[in-house]
């Protein structure tokens, strides 16, 4: 066995016996293909022979990270830095994994050390720039991105990330220039196209934003995000709601990091919705049955579960539902489109809650009509929406893909669909680019009789 590896992880006869080097090369290929069990088998065999073999340990750290065991990956990389104290790569990889786990402050020291060991590392400069940016150390982020670009001026990802930093720092014209440079180098860089569109929009250059989106659409006509955003700049008619494939793609992509990213945005919608539910739950004289419409990763679940009886969550994103399932709080979780599910769930619940979901709907009439069907008599619909200006009479699609709604428009639709507004709270739902996002927490009660016959209940409005 010395110097060779036996593999029984679903390999062909030609792969049964390999040198250690061949086994590592094969494992890299399998890792790319997602054959994680096969990689695990081979690496464990190598490490039984050579427990301190650095290349094997490095690949094991990558495997553990892919398996969602990032803490183990970090420990393995720290071990490699002890075995190879003068090698920059393990310090770079350590910083990368810390960044991917939103541990940006902790990533700074290993990335700085990687640069000390390899002053020409554009990768380390790029990732350190991102770490500094997430820690609000903008001047240091700016300096290290410029250093990276001096080393590697043809790196599209460096231009893209520097453009992001410049936009967040309010230097949008400079951000445009670096986004354009990134796309000149790599026309397939969709994040640079997104940043370019956002900057043009924020600069008030709507025609440039529209052209950037048209170019993006021509490059990738099947991208659901660009189809959706074309309506935000007037290049297409504003869609009445975000398409299912757009919503599912966005949230499947961010399922793993969703909760961490929202925690950095002072995200308050779930707690505000839970507070509104607490105000009405006692009227039922029992624990009410609740439907969490657009439950996502289940942020509302732990907040409302102590107050309710049966708790059902629905969402379009399977990735999000997987996170919600791990909480073991919901009695049932269903992958479904919100309106269709509500329409079929006749008189199934006492309260429907929806935190930060109706911002992906412009037209709300169908949602309200379906929610009325799902609720029992005198049931409640509690939801958040982003607030449009006083002059907006209906809804508006924003460049971030979310809709904002006029207060009177929402109240009028509720009344036309058999609800009376019981409470209306004007509040900040989260922050975006360090600016509070204004919104409404709405509590509406289902009134007896046919839809459209809602009696007046004075709304309890709070600032």
């Amino acid at each position: 066995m010395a110097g060779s590896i036996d593999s029984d992880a679903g390999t062909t006869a030609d792969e049964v016996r390999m040198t250690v080097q061949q086994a590592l090369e094969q494992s890299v290929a399998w890792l790319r293909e997602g054959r994680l069990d096969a990689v695990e088998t081979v690496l464990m065999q190598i490490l039984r022979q050579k427990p301190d073999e650095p290349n094997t340990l490095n690949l094991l750290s990558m495997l553990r990270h892919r398996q969602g065991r990032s803490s183990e990956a970090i420990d393995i990389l720290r071990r490699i830095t002890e075995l190879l104290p003068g090698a920059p790569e393990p310090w770079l990889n350590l910083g990368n994994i810390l960044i991917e786990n939103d541990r940006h402050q902790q990533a700074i020291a290993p990335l700085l050390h990687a640069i000390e060991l390899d002053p020409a590392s554009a990768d380390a400069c790029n990732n350190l720039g991102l770490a500094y940016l997430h820690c609000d150390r903008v001047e240091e982020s700016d300096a290290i991105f410029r250093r990276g670009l001096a080393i590697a001026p043809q790196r599209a990802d460096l231009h893209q990330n520097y453009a992001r930093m410049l936009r967040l720092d309010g230097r949008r014209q400079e951000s445009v220039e670096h986004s354009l440079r990134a796309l000149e180098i790599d026309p397939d860089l969709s994040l640079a196209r997104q940043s370019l569109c956002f900057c043009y929009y924020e600069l008030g250059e709507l025609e440039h934003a529209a052209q950037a989106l048209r170019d993006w659409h021509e490059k990738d006509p099947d991208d659901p995000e660009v189809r959706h955003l074309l309506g935000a700049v007037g290049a297409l008619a504003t869609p009445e709601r975000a398409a299912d494939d757009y919503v599912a793609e966005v949230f499947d992509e961010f399922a793993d990091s969703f909760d961490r990213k929202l925690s950095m945005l002072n995200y308050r919608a779930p707690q505000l919705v839970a507070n509104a539910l607490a105000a009405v739950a006692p009227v039922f004289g029992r624990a009410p049955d609740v439907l969490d419409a657009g439950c996502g990763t289940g942020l509302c679940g732990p907040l409302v579960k102590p107050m309710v009886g049966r708790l059902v969550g629905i969402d379009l994103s399977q990735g999000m539902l997987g996170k919600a399932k791990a909480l073991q709080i919901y009695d049932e979780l269903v992958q479904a489109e919100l309106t269709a599910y509500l329409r079929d769930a006749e008189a199934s619940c006492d309260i429907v809650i929806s935190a930060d979901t109706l911002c992906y709907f412009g037209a709300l009439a169908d949602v309200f009509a379906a929610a009325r069907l799902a609720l029992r008599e005198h049931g409640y619909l509690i939801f958040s929406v982003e607030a449009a200006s006083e002059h907006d009479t209906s809804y508006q699609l924003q460049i971030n893909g979310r809709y904002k709604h006029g207060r009177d428009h929402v109240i009028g639709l509720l009344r036309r669909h058999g609800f009376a507004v019981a409470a209306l709270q004007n509040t900040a739902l989260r922050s975006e680019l360090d600016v509070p996002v204004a919104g409404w927490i709405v509590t509406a009660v289902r009134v007896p009789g046919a839809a459209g016959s809602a009696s007046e209940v004075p709304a309890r409005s709070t600032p």
Side-chain angles (χ1 to χ4, degrees):
M1 276 289 292
S4 68
I5 299 298
D6 291 326
S7 175
D8 59 358
T11 59
T12 66
D14 292 337
E15 297 168 341
V16 171
R17 294 187 67 81
M18 299 176 282
T19 67
V20 168
Q21 183 58 36
Q22 289 172 332
L24 289 175
E25 291 173 358
Q26 183 64 71
S27 295
V28 170
W30 285 340
L31 192 63
R32 291 180 183 141
E33 296 168 6
R35 295 175 61 183
L36 305 188
D37 290 343
V39 177
E40 175 99 27
T41 298
V42 171
L43 295 185
M44 290 301 101
Q45 288 191 51
I46 297 174
L47 289 170
R48 279 195 291 271
Q49 296 181 32
K50 299 181 177 182
D52 289 331
E53 206 289 305
N55 292 327
T56 308
L57 288 172
N58 184 61
L59 194 53
L60 181 62
S61 73
M62 297 168 61
L63 174 64
R64 291 291 179 255
H65 185 50
R66 285 281 300 274
Q67 291 170 327
R69 297 159 64 179
S70 295
S71 293
E72 294 177 49
I74 290 167
D75 290 341
I76 293 167
L77 285 167
R78 293 194 188 281
R79 181 179 170 191
I80 299 172
T81 63
E82 295 172 357
L83 294 169
L84 301 173
E89 291 82 4
W91 293 101
L92 174 62
N93 292 339
L94 177 58
N96 294 349
I97 289 183
L98 288 166
I99 286 176
E100 290 180 22
N101 282 271
D102 291 326
R103 294 165 63 178
H104 299 94
Q105 184 63 48
Q106 296 176 46
I108 290 172
L111 290 171
L112 280 171
H113 195 57
I115 291 172
E116 288 176 8
L117 294 170
D118 182 7
S121 174
D123 285 335
C125 291
N126 184 48
N127 296 337
L128 182 57
L130 291 173
Y132 278 141
L133 179 59
H134 279 274
C135 295
D136 292 324
R137 296 166 64 172
V138 176
E139 290 186 9
E140 291 157 296
S141 178
D142 189 328
I144 201 67
F145 274 132
R146 286 190 282 106
R147 175 173 173 169
L149 286 168
I151 296 168
Q154 296 300 311
R155 282 277 297 265
D157 57 339
L158 265 166
H159 283 283
Q160 171 192 275
N161 290 331
Y162 189 37
R164 177 187 175 196
M165 189 231 87
L166 290 165
R167 175 177 172 250
L168 292 173
D169 195 37
R171 295 152 63 185
R172 293 183 176 85
Q173 193 58 57
E174 293 177 71
S175 179
V176 166
E177 293 168 7
H178 282 277
S179 293
L180 289 170
R181 181 67 182 125
L183 290 169
E184 182 182 327
I185 297 167
D186 183 359
D188 294 327
L189 213 55
S190 60
L191 286 176
R193 293 190 180 280
Q194 183 190 69
S195 180
L196 182 63
C197 297
F198 284 9
C199 277
Y200 278 140
Y201 182 87
E202 290 159 4
L203 286 166
E205 299 179 17
L206 296 188
E207 184 49 47
H208 283 109
Q211 186 57 54
L213 281 166
R214 292 188 195 99
D215 293 342
W216 185 359
H217 185 54
E218 183 178 347
K219 190 70 180 173
D220 191 356
D222 296 325
D223 191 313
E225 180 180 11
V226 68
R227 292 201 311 267
H228 183 63
L229 295 182
L230 279 164
V233 297
L236 289 177
T238 302
E240 291 192 343
R241 52 158 295 178
D244 289 353
D245 59 348
Y246 167 64
V247 174
E249 179 179 288
V250 167
F251 288 100
D252 279 343
E253 180 180 347
F254 287 110
D256 288 337
S257 61
F258 185 74
D259 293 0
R260 293 193 304 271
K261 291 185 184 302
L262 287 181
S263 69
M264 296 185 289
L265 299 177
N266 193 27
Y267 182 57
R268 304 172 63 229
Q271 184 63 64
L272 293 166
V273 165
N275 293 347
L277 185 148
V280 302
V283 305
F284 292 94
R286 55 176 172 78
D289 295 330
V290 173
L291 174 64
D292 188 354
C295 64
T297 59
L299 290 175
C300 282
L303 301 173
V304 304
K305 183 60 175 176
M307 300 180 278
V308 308
R310 180 171 169 78
L311 179 61
V312 176
I314 63 167
D315 203 275
L316 262 176
S317 167
Q318 190 60 52
M320 290 286 190
L321 288 171
K323 298 295 181 181
K325 183 178 180 180
L327 298 176
Q328 297 184 327
I329 286 175
Y330 290 85
D331 296 288
E332 183 180 3
L333 287 164
V334 182
Q335 184 180 18
E337 191 279 319
L338 184 152
T339 308
Y341 183 91
L342 290 171
R343 193 178 291 124
D344 293 338
E346 187 173 355
S348 64
C349 59
D350 301 302
I351 302 175
V352 173
I353 61 173
S354 186
D356 212 32
T357 297
L358 298 190
C359 57
Y360 291 98
F361 290 75
L364 295 172
D366 288 347
V367 178
F368 292 163
R372 191 176 194 280
L373 291 173
L375 286 167
R376 298 166 186 149
E377 286 295 317
H378 305 291
Y380 284 88
L381 171 62
I382 301 171
F383 61 93
S384 67
V385 287
E386 295 185 16
S389 70
E390 295 180 4
H391 306 293
D392 289 322
T393 56
S394 57
Y395 60 84
Q396 177 184 344
L397 177 58
Q398 306 169 87
I399 193 62
N400 60 12
R402 301 157 69 93
Y403 294 86
K404 55 184 179 180
H405 293 82
R407 174 184 182 277
D408 293 341
H409 173 69
V410 172
I411 292 174
L413 281 176
L414 285 166
R415 288 174 176 164
R416 284 197 292 276
H417 289 86
F419 289 94
V421 178
L424 196 67
Q425 181 184 2
N426 183 11
T427 185
L429 301 175
R430 69 179 194 286
S431 296
E432 191 167 300
L433 296 178
D434 292 327
V435 177
V437 175
W440 301 99
I441 301 296
V442 184
T443 301
V445 59
R446 184 189 193 278
V447 297
S453 62
S455 58
E456 289 290 329
V457 174
R460 187 177 75 254
S461 185
T462 58

